[in-house]
Amino acid sequence: MVLSRRTFSALAGTAALGFSLSGSGSDEASAAGRTPIAPTGPAPGPPAADRKAHTVGFDRYSMLIDGKRLVLWSGEVHPFRLPSPSLWRDVLEKLRAHGYNAISIYVSWNYHSPAPGTYDFTGVRDLDLFLRTAAETGLYVILRPGPYINAEVDAGGFPGWLTVTKGTARTSDPTYLKYVDEWLTAVDRIAARHLYTDGGGTIVLYQLENEYANNVAEPAGRDYMSHLYAKVRADGIDVPLFHNDKGRNGYWAPGTFGTGGEKGRYLYAFDGYPSPVGQPPDWGYFGIGGTQGGATASPDTPGFLAEFGGGWFDPWGGVEFGGQGYAGSRRTRDAAYERRFYLTNLANGIKVHNVYMTFGGTSWGWLPAPIVYTSYDYGAALDEARQPTPKLIPMHQIGQLLHCVPDFAKLDRAADIAVGDDGIKAYHLVNPDTKAHVYVLRNDTSTETLALVPLAGAAVPVPVLVPGLDARLLVSGIGLGRRKLRYSSAQPMLWLTAGRQDIAVFTGASGESTKTALECASEPTVTVLEGSAQHKYADGVLRIDAQLCASTRVLVEGGGTAAPLLLLLVDDEASGRLWRYATPSGPVLVRGPALLRTAELRGTTVHLTGDTVESAELEVWGPRGIGEVVWNNGTLKTLATKSGSLLAQQRLPGVPGVPLPALTNWLRSAENPESAADYDDSGWKVADKKSSYSITPVPAGQPVLFADDYGYHYGDVWYRGHFTDVGTTDAVSLSYVSGAQGLLMAWLDGKPLGTHRMPVPDKKTVRQGTWAATATYPVPARTGARVLSVLVRRMQHDEDGAAKDTHKVARGLTAVTFNGSSPSVTWRIRGEVTPDPVRGPVNNGGLYGERHGWHLPGFAATGWKVVDFPRADRRQGVTWYRTDFRLAVDPAVDASIGLTLTDDPARAYRVQIFLNGWNMGQYINDVGPQHTFVLPNGLLRTRGSNTLALAVLSDGTTAAGPGEVKLTLLGSAAGGVPVTTVDSPGRASAKH
């Protein structure tokens, strides 16, 4: 349903009466017309689809869930970049375990809409299932459905069919808004069932548009944003809304566009991708202030970084990271980078922090924007193969801290401090309610530096060693259960109450000497249970000096407090094996395994599920009365320890080996019959249109040849031009437009004319999504009927980040001119067939083999010849290779497997990779940098038969492979989640 703006305003205004802002605050603040300020208090527990009413609001400090302060510590995940719904749970459980309490997701319009009015949310596109899984995992959701998302996907998320519609996108153009309303109706119908406000799910924030930095002062922009706001409210979305400013501009801050009279339900957010080689910027408390100061553009809403760089994307050729691919991205934005930059953000008052990307995944099929290749690993903390990286440890530590220590949700800038070294930038903040102090020490030099920090409560400055290009977070005055921390030079990670004792964890670099002081009314009893530590009591303070290692344990009893306190002083690596999990009976703390997925108390037994990679100890702290531990459905014998835990008497086993078969018995068949002079193209569409909505001009005297205008939006497209030789033509010029790394192949009367390729991007053209070129070939004289056959690998549509309709730039042939006489040419065009209902519109292009199902496991390769690799064919055109292989991975093992292609880089060819009919990406041998392609479980049958098909496109200038093609184990763990095979149809219809 498409509603008028008047109807929108009426509905939004009526709905606004029912919205309430969570939290309590002072009458003075209310009288002043400002948002009431809520007090500091414990964070809300993990969210769930509990069918209970909740309030979701905010004040200038933080989000408020049921009146309780919450720092959202979020990671960006895109369901469409992991086309195996079973694995969504795996990724989400890993993020929750590693300290994230929220995820942010784009919903890509092109992924769900193969045609106008058609919206598919089934199978790998089941948004409802993903949102249910997030709720079951205990994660809040930030929903970002566009309509434009950018995200390095084809057309920035716009569907291919939108490129041939009238009107200007990303404005208040009525034609565009008509389609936008249809899209939002389809998305919001699902989203409305998963709002946290009514307990249907865990969505707490909803984004309008994406990095919209254009038409800010124009009616076309303001009316557009108002329309989106009203539409979303009319669809029943009642959580706070926001927009993510592309920079620090103050664009679309509250009050800059109409919201139908609704106030206090919209936040300003911004994105930031600072260079890792520079100093972390101050975008808040310590910055320049005002609309250019990041969070200060909206002083009455919490600091909100909707996207902060957790890595960066890599272009074709890999110039961004010197050809190292995403391994290079991960090195430039490593764990030290995260501590230095993310802690700076916390110091600047950022209370909604979303890391883009936290799991990047795969831009499979024709999903990627032209500026990126298939992998979207992004150098993220969780790599493309779903394997944890060392980058997760800082996020793990910070996420646990923000949940356990409520003081961080409400901080003000405090007096500046001197730390004795100009190379250290010191941030000092204080909680106005509890008077707890927070310090961030940032070392912007490459030299390890000793800072002398005047921590609140310390009689003399406390020495703190800060590694080069790193940072440290310190606190003083926070509560550790029933005791109070005076100060510590180690970073706090978490505290919890387990049984009769409190447990506090502090972390830092291995071997680091730390000083920790606890307030005690009288002298306590102190027992060093593990490791090396010295302690001294004087003047109401217990001081503990310890060196961080895998496990230093100090038990503090008495001293005026009835409950014991167990201090765990561990190094960073050991902290990554400590897992906190909330249960209705109280929190559980687990030490040892590579991952804790779930914890559940049933009577006196704690049931745990998780993963191991190496053999590991299992130690559990939990509520009083637990006496038995079950790990992955197996009961373990345990011993009670002096630390108040249960320790398994036997180590958990590591993961067994995963044997992978060699890929042999390849079958080969050449295709591209479309290049033959006598090929029957009578069933193809005639390319004779005279006008187009593309922003690419139609050349004078030429028909429209743009592929999109004839309904071909993805992958390769074929043209055949029929003409009669008129004698004086000696050359033909073929003009075409493509995305990065596009190419054109031409044949005349069945004989190759040649191949033209777009250049590999360099540092100046790395962001160029659209490329245009003209290839000129000789035309040998001949009388009679002639046919010109052209194959264009169009690559993808450009994004529309500047809101200039660049997604409508043509793809395919644009003009064909002859030197000399100009024969009359009749053009026919052929691209992809109707997409199958499982794999969707981005899976296939227009190659002959794709149109006839050569990529599908059910195809009968009758007449194909047996060949071996490596191959060294030399021809212009397309050659297909197929083989079957079986896997027999242990059901209790989660094995991530990839396909690796290697060859002499001088060989010019590219490969489309199909696994069981799914297009898993494109490999360009002489460009790179990607050589390994992840094969997601569910598409890959880890216990059964699989079909691999390779469509090799070669230009004939060199010998063309494939060279070596093999399966590669990218990681494995004992554990994982149950995986269901994604259903697939057998064979496509044989259409020409």
Side-chain angles (χ1 to χ4, degrees), residues 717-744:
V717 61
W718 275 98
Y719 299 84
R720 283 174 59 86
H722 297 268
F723 64 98
T724 300
D725 192 9
V726 294
T728 61
T729 294
D730 61 5
V732 63
S733 295
L734 307 173
S735 298
Y736 75 110
V737 177
S738 75
Q741 283 304 286
L743 61 74
L744 173 149

PDB file of all heavy atoms in Angstrom, residues 717-744:
ATOM      1  N   VAL A 717      26.271 -10.672 -20.798  1.00  0.00           N
ATOM      2  CA  VAL A 717      25.212 -10.426 -21.766  1.00  0.00           C
ATOM      3  C   VAL A 717      25.787 -10.589 -23.170  1.00  0.00           C
ATOM      4  O   VAL A 717      26.919 -10.193 -23.450  1.00  0.00           O
ATOM      5  CB  VAL A 717      24.593  -9.019 -21.568  1.00  0.00           C
ATOM      6  CG1 VAL A 717      25.624  -7.921 -21.766  1.00  0.00           C
ATOM      7  CG2 VAL A 717      23.395  -8.820 -22.471  1.00  0.00           C
ATOM      8  N   TRP A 718      25.009 -11.228 -24.039  1.00  0.00           N
ATOM      9  CA  TRP A 718      25.388 -11.481 -25.429  1.00  0.00           C
ATOM     10  C   TRP A 718      24.619 -10.544 -26.365  1.00  0.00           C
ATOM     11  O   TRP A 718      23.437 -10.264 -26.152  1.00  0.00           O
ATOM     12  CB  TRP A 718      25.062 -12.922 -25.829  1.00  0.00           C
ATOM     13  CG  TRP A 718      26.115 -13.916 -25.477  1.00  0.00           C
ATOM     14  CD1 TRP A 718      26.144 -14.740 -24.388  1.00  0.00           C
ATOM     15  CD2 TRP A 718      27.282 -14.221 -26.236  1.00  0.00           C
ATOM     16  NE1 TRP A 718      27.260 -15.535 -24.413  1.00  0.00           N
ATOM     17  CE2 TRP A 718      27.981 -15.241 -25.549  1.00  0.00           C
ATOM     18  CE3 TRP A 718      27.825 -13.731 -27.442  1.00  0.00           C
ATOM     19  CZ2 TRP A 718      29.180 -15.786 -26.005  1.00  0.00           C
ATOM     20  CZ3 TRP A 718      29.014 -14.262 -27.902  1.00  0.00           C
ATOM     21  CH2 TRP A 718      29.679 -15.276 -27.190  1.00  0.00           C
ATOM     22  N   TYR A 719      25.330 -10.099 -27.429  1.00  0.00           N
ATOM     23  CA  TYR A 719      24.719  -9.335 -28.515  1.00  0.00           C
ATOM     24  C   TYR A 719      25.057 -10.034 -29.833  1.00  0.00           C
ATOM     25  O   TYR A 719      26.172 -10.540 -30.015  1.00  0.00           O
ATOM     26  CB  TYR A 719      25.284  -7.910 -28.581  1.00  0.00           C
ATOM     27  CG  TYR A 719      25.057  -7.063 -27.359  1.00  0.00           C
ATOM     28  CD1 TYR A 719      25.921  -7.136 -26.260  1.00  0.00           C
ATOM     29  CD2 TYR A 719      24.002  -6.164 -27.314  1.00  0.00           C
ATOM     30  CE1 TYR A 719      25.730  -6.332 -25.157  1.00  0.00           C
ATOM     31  CE2 TYR A 719      23.804  -5.356 -26.195  1.00  0.00           C
ATOM     32  CZ  TYR A 719      24.672  -5.442 -25.117  1.00  0.00           C
ATOM     33  OH  TYR A 719      24.480  -4.653 -24.026  1.00  0.00           O
ATOM     34  N   ARG A 720      24.086 -10.003 -30.733  1.00  0.00           N
ATOM     35  CA  ARG A 720      24.348 -10.453 -32.111  1.00  0.00           C
ATOM     36  C   ARG A 720      23.752  -9.431 -33.075  1.00  0.00           C
ATOM     37  O   ARG A 720      22.552  -9.128 -33.022  1.00  0.00           O
ATOM     38  CB  ARG A 720      23.746 -11.845 -32.352  1.00  0.00           C
ATOM     39  CG  ARG A 720      24.596 -12.961 -31.728  1.00  0.00           C
ATOM     40  CD  ARG A 720      23.954 -14.321 -31.836  1.00  0.00           C
ATOM     41  NE  ARG A 720      23.698 -14.732 -33.196  1.00  0.00           N
ATOM     42  CZ  ARG A 720      24.584 -15.350 -33.991  1.00  0.00           C
ATOM     43  NH1 ARG A 720      25.811 -15.602 -33.546  1.00  0.00           N
ATOM     44  NH2 ARG A 720      24.240 -15.707 -35.213  1.00  0.00           N
ATOM     45  N   GLY A 721      24.631  -8.858 -33.909  1.00  0.00           N
ATOM     46  CA  GLY A 721      24.222  -7.856 -34.865  1.00  0.00           C
ATOM     47  C   GLY A 721      24.265  -8.407 -36.279  1.00  0.00           C
ATOM     48  O   GLY A 721      25.317  -8.880 -36.734  1.00  0.00           O
ATOM     49  N   HIS A 722      23.152  -8.379 -36.982  1.00  0.00           N
ATOM     50  CA  HIS A 722      23.053  -8.895 -38.345  1.00  0.00           C
ATOM     51  C   HIS A 722      23.062  -7.720 -39.327  1.00  0.00           C
ATOM     52  O   HIS A 722      22.303  -6.752 -39.156  1.00  0.00           O
ATOM     53  CB  HIS A 722      21.761  -9.706 -38.514  1.00  0.00           C
ATOM     54  CG  HIS A 722      21.706 -10.927 -37.646  1.00  0.00           C
ATOM     55  ND1 HIS A 722      22.140 -12.152 -38.074  1.00  0.00           N
ATOM     56  CD2 HIS A 722      21.278 -11.100 -36.360  1.00  0.00           C
ATOM     57  CE1 HIS A 722      21.977 -13.044 -37.101  1.00  0.00           C
ATOM     58  NE2 HIS A 722      21.442 -12.422 -36.045  1.00  0.00           N
ATOM     59  N   PHE A 723      23.917  -7.811 -40.340  1.00  0.00           N
ATOM     60  CA  PHE A 723      23.980  -6.761 -41.351  1.00  0.00           C
ATOM     61  C   PHE A 723      24.477  -7.360 -42.657  1.00  0.00           C
ATOM     62  O   PHE A 723      24.952  -8.500 -42.708  1.00  0.00           O
ATOM     63  CB  PHE A 723      24.882  -5.617 -40.899  1.00  0.00           C
ATOM     64  CG  PHE A 723      26.329  -5.982 -40.714  1.00  0.00           C
ATOM     65  CD1 PHE A 723      27.274  -5.721 -41.701  1.00  0.00           C
ATOM     66  CD2 PHE A 723      26.764  -6.585 -39.536  1.00  0.00           C
ATOM     67  CE1 PHE A 723      28.615  -6.049 -41.516  1.00  0.00           C
ATOM     68  CE2 PHE A 723      28.093  -6.915 -39.345  1.00  0.00           C
ATOM     69  CZ  PHE A 723      29.029  -6.658 -40.342  1.00  0.00           C
ATOM     70  N   THR A 724      24.348  -6.579 -43.701  1.00  0.00           N
ATOM     71  CA  THR A 724      24.849  -6.980 -45.015  1.00  0.00           C
ATOM     72  C   THR A 724      26.009  -6.087 -45.382  1.00  0.00           C
ATOM     73  O   THR A 724      25.907  -4.853 -45.300  1.00  0.00           O
ATOM     74  CB  THR A 724      23.751  -6.855 -46.080  1.00  0.00           C
ATOM     75  OG1 THR A 724      22.654  -7.694 -45.719  1.00  0.00           O
ATOM     76  CG2 THR A 724      24.269  -7.283 -47.448  1.00  0.00           C
ATOM     77  N   ASP A 725      27.139  -6.725 -45.748  1.00  0.00           N
ATOM     78  CA  ASP A 725      28.342  -5.973 -46.081  1.00  0.00           C
ATOM     79  C   ASP A 725      28.054  -5.036 -47.249  1.00  0.00           C
ATOM     80  O   ASP A 725      27.482  -5.438 -48.271  1.00  0.00           O
ATOM     81  CB  ASP A 725      29.464  -6.953 -46.450  1.00  0.00           C
ATOM     82  CG  ASP A 725      30.817  -6.248 -46.524  1.00  0.00           C
ATOM     83  OD1 ASP A 725      30.885  -5.078 -46.118  1.00  0.00           O
ATOM     84  OD2 ASP A 725      31.783  -6.885 -46.981  1.00  0.00           O
ATOM     85  N   VAL A 726      28.463  -3.770 -47.087  1.00  0.00           N
ATOM     86  CA  VAL A 726      28.256  -2.805 -48.168  1.00  0.00           C
ATOM     87  C   VAL A 726      29.561  -2.399 -48.833  1.00  0.00           C
ATOM     88  O   VAL A 726      29.618  -1.448 -49.597  1.00  0.00           O
ATOM     89  CB  VAL A 726      27.512  -1.549 -47.658  1.00  0.00           C
ATOM     90  CG1 VAL A 726      26.110  -1.898 -47.243  1.00  0.00           C
ATOM     91  CG2 VAL A 726      28.260  -0.914 -46.506  1.00  0.00           C
ATOM     92  N   GLY A 727      30.630  -3.091 -48.502  1.00  0.00           N
ATOM     93  CA  GLY A 727      31.848  -2.985 -49.301  1.00  0.00           C
ATOM     94  C   GLY A 727      32.946  -2.102 -48.796  1.00  0.00           C
ATOM     95  O   GLY A 727      34.113  -2.479 -48.885  1.00  0.00           O
ATOM     96  N   THR A 728      32.644  -0.925 -48.248  1.00  0.00           N
ATOM     97  CA  THR A 728      33.732  -0.003 -47.908  1.00  0.00           C
ATOM     98  C   THR A 728      34.074   0.025 -46.424  1.00  0.00           C
ATOM     99  O   THR A 728      34.924   0.790 -45.999  1.00  0.00           O
ATOM    100  CB  THR A 728      33.359   1.422 -48.343  1.00  0.00           C
ATOM    101  OG1 THR A 728      32.173   1.819 -47.649  1.00  0.00           O
ATOM    102  CG2 THR A 728      33.142   1.497 -49.846  1.00  0.00           C
ATOM    103  N   THR A 729      33.398  -0.773 -45.638  1.00  0.00           N
ATOM    104  CA  THR A 729      33.709  -0.825 -44.212  1.00  0.00           C
ATOM    105  C   THR A 729      34.976  -1.645 -43.981  1.00  0.00           C
ATOM    106  O   THR A 729      35.085  -2.781 -44.459  1.00  0.00           O
ATOM    107  CB  THR A 729      32.549  -1.458 -43.438  1.00  0.00           C
ATOM    108  OG1 THR A 729      31.419  -0.593 -43.535  1.00  0.00           O
ATOM    109  CG2 THR A 729      32.895  -1.669 -41.980  1.00  0.00           C
ATOM    110  N   ASP A 730      35.939  -1.068 -43.244  1.00  0.00           N
ATOM    111  CA  ASP A 730      37.154  -1.818 -42.964  1.00  0.00           C
ATOM    112  C   ASP A 730      37.433  -1.975 -41.478  1.00  0.00           C
ATOM    113  O   ASP A 730      38.403  -2.623 -41.086  1.00  0.00           O
ATOM    114  CB  ASP A 730      38.355  -1.161 -43.647  1.00  0.00           C
ATOM    115  CG  ASP A 730      38.591   0.271 -43.156  1.00  0.00           C
ATOM    116  OD1 ASP A 730      37.893   0.717 -42.224  1.00  0.00           O
ATOM    117  OD2 ASP A 730      39.493   0.932 -43.707  1.00  0.00           O
ATOM    118  N   ALA A 731      36.604  -1.361 -40.604  1.00  0.00           N
ATOM    119  CA  ALA A 731      36.822  -1.481 -39.158  1.00  0.00           C
ATOM    120  C   ALA A 731      35.508  -1.232 -38.436  1.00  0.00           C
ATOM    121  O   ALA A 731      34.618  -0.522 -38.940  1.00  0.00           O
ATOM    122  CB  ALA A 731      37.889  -0.498 -38.679  1.00  0.00           C
ATOM    123  N   VAL A 732      35.378  -1.824 -37.278  1.00  0.00           N
ATOM    124  CA  VAL A 732      34.230  -1.609 -36.422  1.00  0.00           C
ATOM    125  C   VAL A 732      34.717  -1.223 -35.032  1.00  0.00           C
ATOM    126  O   VAL A 732      35.697  -1.769 -34.521  1.00  0.00           O
ATOM    127  CB  VAL A 732      33.342  -2.868 -36.348  1.00  0.00           C
ATOM    128  CG1 VAL A 732      34.095  -4.049 -35.732  1.00  0.00           C
ATOM    129  CG2 VAL A 732      32.071  -2.593 -35.540  1.00  0.00           C
ATOM    130  N   SER A 733      34.049  -0.235 -34.444  1.00  0.00           N
ATOM    131  CA  SER A 733      34.377   0.224 -33.092  1.00  0.00           C
ATOM    132  C   SER A 733      33.230  -0.128 -32.159  1.00  0.00           C
ATOM    133  O   SER A 733      32.074   0.242 -32.420  1.00  0.00           O
ATOM    134  CB  SER A 733      34.630   1.733 -33.083  1.00  0.00           C
ATOM    135  OG  SER A 733      35.774   2.057 -33.846  1.00  0.00           O
ATOM    136  N   LEU A 734      33.563  -0.831 -31.110  1.00  0.00           N
ATOM    137  CA  LEU A 734      32.584  -1.284 -30.129  1.00  0.00           C
ATOM    138  C   LEU A 734      32.782  -0.506 -28.832  1.00  0.00           C
ATOM    139  O   LEU A 734      33.804  -0.672 -28.145  1.00  0.00           O
ATOM    140  CB  LEU A 734      32.739  -2.783 -29.870  1.00  0.00           C
ATOM    141  CG  LEU A 734      32.720  -3.689 -31.111  1.00  0.00           C
ATOM    142  CD1 LEU A 734      33.064  -5.126 -30.722  1.00  0.00           C
ATOM    143  CD2 LEU A 734      31.363  -3.639 -31.787  1.00  0.00           C
ATOM    144  N   SER A 735      31.831   0.345 -28.507  1.00  0.00           N
ATOM    145  CA  SER A 735      31.892   1.107 -27.262  1.00  0.00           C
ATOM    146  C   SER A 735      31.063   0.391 -26.200  1.00  0.00           C
ATOM    147  O   SER A 735      29.934  -0.040 -26.468  1.00  0.00           O
ATOM    148  CB  SER A 735      31.360   2.522 -27.475  1.00  0.00           C
ATOM    149  OG  SER A 735      32.155   3.216 -28.416  1.00  0.00           O
ATOM    150  N   TYR A 736      31.617   0.275 -25.019  1.00  0.00           N
ATOM    151  CA  TYR A 736      30.892  -0.403 -23.941  1.00  0.00           C
ATOM    152  C   TYR A 736      31.211   0.224 -22.609  1.00  0.00           C
ATOM    153  O   TYR A 736      32.207   0.936 -22.444  1.00  0.00           O
ATOM    154  CB  TYR A 736      31.192  -1.896 -23.947  1.00  0.00           C
ATOM    155  CG  TYR A 736      32.560  -2.322 -23.425  1.00  0.00           C
ATOM    156  CD1 TYR A 736      32.686  -3.006 -22.221  1.00  0.00           C
ATOM    157  CD2 TYR A 736      33.728  -2.076 -24.142  1.00  0.00           C
ATOM    158  CE1 TYR A 736      33.912  -3.437 -21.741  1.00  0.00           C
ATOM    159  CE2 TYR A 736      34.970  -2.501 -23.689  1.00  0.00           C
ATOM    160  CZ  TYR A 736      35.059  -3.177 -22.481  1.00  0.00           C
ATOM    161  OH  TYR A 736      36.286  -3.601 -22.020  1.00  0.00           O
ATOM    162  N   VAL A 737      30.329  -0.022 -21.661  1.00  0.00           N
ATOM    163  CA  VAL A 737      30.472   0.463 -20.295  1.00  0.00           C
ATOM    164  C   VAL A 737      30.318  -0.719 -19.366  1.00  0.00           C
ATOM    165  O   VAL A 737      29.423  -1.558 -19.543  1.00  0.00           O
ATOM    166  CB  VAL A 737      29.424   1.543 -19.964  1.00  0.00           C
ATOM    167  CG1 VAL A 737      29.558   1.982 -18.502  1.00  0.00           C
ATOM    168  CG2 VAL A 737      29.567   2.747 -20.876  1.00  0.00           C
ATOM    169  N   SER A 738      31.180  -0.799 -18.369  1.00  0.00           N
ATOM    170  CA  SER A 738      31.109  -1.901 -17.408  1.00  0.00           C
ATOM    171  C   SER A 738      31.541  -1.409 -16.048  1.00  0.00           C
ATOM    172  O   SER A 738      31.972  -0.268 -15.885  1.00  0.00           O
ATOM    173  CB  SER A 738      32.023  -3.058 -17.847  1.00  0.00           C
ATOM    174  OG  SER A 738      33.382  -2.733 -17.595  1.00  0.00           O
ATOM    175  N   GLY A 739      31.419  -2.292 -15.068  1.00  0.00           N
ATOM    176  CA  GLY A 739      32.042  -2.034 -13.788  1.00  0.00           C
ATOM    177  C   GLY A 739      33.523  -2.351 -13.873  1.00  0.00           C
ATOM    178  O   GLY A 739      34.041  -2.776 -14.917  1.00  0.00           O
ATOM    179  N   ALA A 740      34.231  -2.131 -12.774  1.00  0.00           N
ATOM    180  CA  ALA A 740      35.665  -2.423 -12.741  1.00  0.00           C
ATOM    181  C   ALA A 740      35.923  -3.860 -13.182  1.00  0.00           C
ATOM    182  O   ALA A 740      35.188  -4.777 -12.820  1.00  0.00           O
ATOM    183  CB  ALA A 740      36.222  -2.200 -11.340  1.00  0.00           C
ATOM    184  N   GLN A 741      36.950  -4.040 -13.974  1.00  0.00           N
ATOM    185  CA  GLN A 741      37.388  -5.331 -14.493  1.00  0.00           C
ATOM    186  C   GLN A 741      36.396  -5.965 -15.472  1.00  0.00           C
ATOM    187  O   GLN A 741      36.398  -7.183 -15.669  1.00  0.00           O
ATOM    188  CB  GLN A 741      37.719  -6.303 -13.360  1.00  0.00           C
ATOM    189  CG  GLN A 741      39.064  -6.017 -12.726  1.00  0.00           C
ATOM    190  CD  GLN A 741      40.181  -6.034 -13.754  1.00  0.00           C
ATOM    191  OE1 GLN A 741      40.601  -7.073 -14.240  1.00  0.00           O
ATOM    192  NE2 GLN A 741      40.671  -4.844 -14.117  1.00  0.00           N
ATOM    193  N   GLY A 742      35.566  -5.143 -16.108  1.00  0.00           N
ATOM    194  CA  GLY A 742      34.724  -5.649 -17.171  1.00  0.00           C
ATOM    195  C   GLY A 742      35.542  -5.944 -18.419  1.00  0.00           C
ATOM    196  O   GLY A 742      36.689  -5.511 -18.561  1.00  0.00           O
ATOM    197  N   LEU A 743      34.938  -6.694 -19.341  1.00  0.00           N
ATOM    198  CA  LEU A 743      35.622  -6.968 -20.604  1.00  0.00           C
ATOM    199  C   LEU A 743      34.611  -7.187 -21.716  1.00  0.00           C
ATOM    200  O   LEU A 743      33.427  -7.382 -21.478  1.00  0.00           O
ATOM    201  CB  LEU A 743      36.567  -8.161 -20.492  1.00  0.00           C
ATOM    202  CG  LEU A 743      36.063  -9.557 -20.144  1.00  0.00           C
ATOM    203  CD1 LEU A 743      35.325 -10.226 -21.290  1.00  0.00           C
ATOM    204  CD2 LEU A 743      37.248 -10.451 -19.750  1.00  0.00           C
ATOM    205  N   LEU A 744      35.129  -7.140 -22.940  1.00  0.00           N
ATOM    206  CA  LEU A 744      34.329  -7.355 -24.149  1.00  0.00           C
ATOM    207  C   LEU A 744      35.060  -8.321 -25.056  1.00  0.00           C
ATOM    208  O   LEU A 744      36.277  -8.205 -25.252  1.00  0.00           O
ATOM    209  CB  LEU A 744      34.083  -6.026 -24.846  1.00  0.00           C
ATOM    210  CG  LEU A 744      33.400  -6.003 -26.215  1.00  0.00           C
ATOM    211  CD1 LEU A 744      32.595  -4.706 -26.382  1.00  0.00           C
ATOM    212  CD2 LEU A 744      34.418  -6.119 -27.356  1.00  0.00           C
TER     213      LEU A 744
END
